[in-house]
Amino acid sequence: MLRLVSALLEALRAILAWLRRLPREAAMALGAAGPDSDPRPERLWLAFALVLPIALAAALVLPRITLVMSPSIDAWAVREAPGPIARGDYVRFTLRHPIAGPAPVSVTKLALCLPGDRLTKIEIPSRLDPSAFDGRYFCNGNLLGTTLPRDHEGNRLAHMMWSGVVPPGMIYVGSHHPHGFDSRYFGLVPIEKLTRMARLL
């Protein structure tokens, strides 16, 4: 019982000490030069005039910026850039795939093979797994990438078996990283699901 009373008295003393400091803190919040000076509201309004436009600009700009977490893309931050998608453009889309996890994820890749281009797949014996074959993908004769037989956890990776002329409305997305997870594994992506992006950093 005595401990409880002592704790309550200590809490009461702390509250009273805070209340004694409150006028000084309020004066400081209103722009006083020091804790014992009179409030100077004009300094507070000046601070608002400087800070609020910066905060508003940040609120408008930051939602349009996407941080790129993948090491397979040579950009740290990208922004939306309306316009038709061209070869080599950054594109963002929502990926749904078991490798990516149970929830959809937003990913950024490069548009590498466009409608009307010839996408060629060649199967070769895997250098990493004698029991498997890897797919090598070429766009108009230029190598885009080669698949891996397994992921970093040792699970077998299936790769895209389709090849031919890229149909209207579809794009092969990827990267130049040998371990990138891209169309080599999940196939072509509809253009309507892509958002064109531009590199910031």
Side-chain angles (χ1 to χ4, degrees):
M1 185 69 179
L2 289 176
R3 288 184 179 179
L4 179 59
V5 171
S6 176
L8 289 173
L9 289 175
E10 186 64 31
L12 183 59
R13 277 195 292 270
I15 292 172
L16 290 175
W18 177 77
L19 288 175
R20 281 195 297 269
R21 293 195 306 269
L22 188 59
R24 291 185 176 184
E25 294 177 358
M28 293 289 288
L30 288 172
D36 296 319
S37 304
D38 292 331
R40 294 173 59 185
E42 67 276 4
R43 293 185 64 182
L44 183 63
W45 293 117
L46 178 61
F48 280 159
L50 294 174
V51 172
L52 289 179
I54 296 174
L56 179 60
L60 293 174
V61 171
L62 288 179
R64 300 175 181 272
I65 297 175
T66 299
L67 298 180
V68 180
M69 308 304 292
S70 172
S72 66
I73 296 297
D74 59 347
W76 291 349
V78 292
R79 63 171 178 81
E80 292 187 14
I85 296 172
R87 194 184 319 281
D89 282 349
Y90 293 98
V91 291
R92 186 187 67 205
F93 62 101
T94 300
L95 175 65
R96 294 174 174 84
H97 193 280
I99 294 294
V105 294
S106 178
V107 296
T108 302
K109 297 294 178 183
L110 296 170
L112 296 180
C113 206
L114 306 183
D117 290 338
R118 178 162 292 279
L119 181 66
T120 304
K121 177 187 66 70
I122 298 176
E123 293 281 306
I124 60 173
S126 176
R127 295 181 297 135
L128 301 177
D129 185 350
S131 66
F133 282 83
D134 294 336
R136 302 191 78 193
Y137 297 90
F138 298 82
C139 185
N140 299 328
N142 298 311
L143 179 64
L144 299 176
T146 303
T147 60
L148 298 173
R150 299 182 183 276
D151 65 15
H152 63 280
E153 295 181 351
N155 301 312
R156 188 174 290 278
L157 280 171
H159 56 267
M160 178 175 63
M161 302 306 294
W162 184 91
S163 66
V165 175
V166 178
M170 304 297 287
I171 286 184
Y172 177 108
V173 298
S175 69
H176 303 299
H177 195 285
H179 293 174
F181 188 72
D182 49 39
S183 285
R184 286 175 278 184
Y185 304 101
F186 53 73
L188 304 177
V189 179
I191 294 177
E192 64 184 16
K193 295 186 177 181
L194 301 175
T195 300
R196 185 173 181 267
M197 309 295 285
R199 178 179 175 175
L200 286 177
L201 296 172

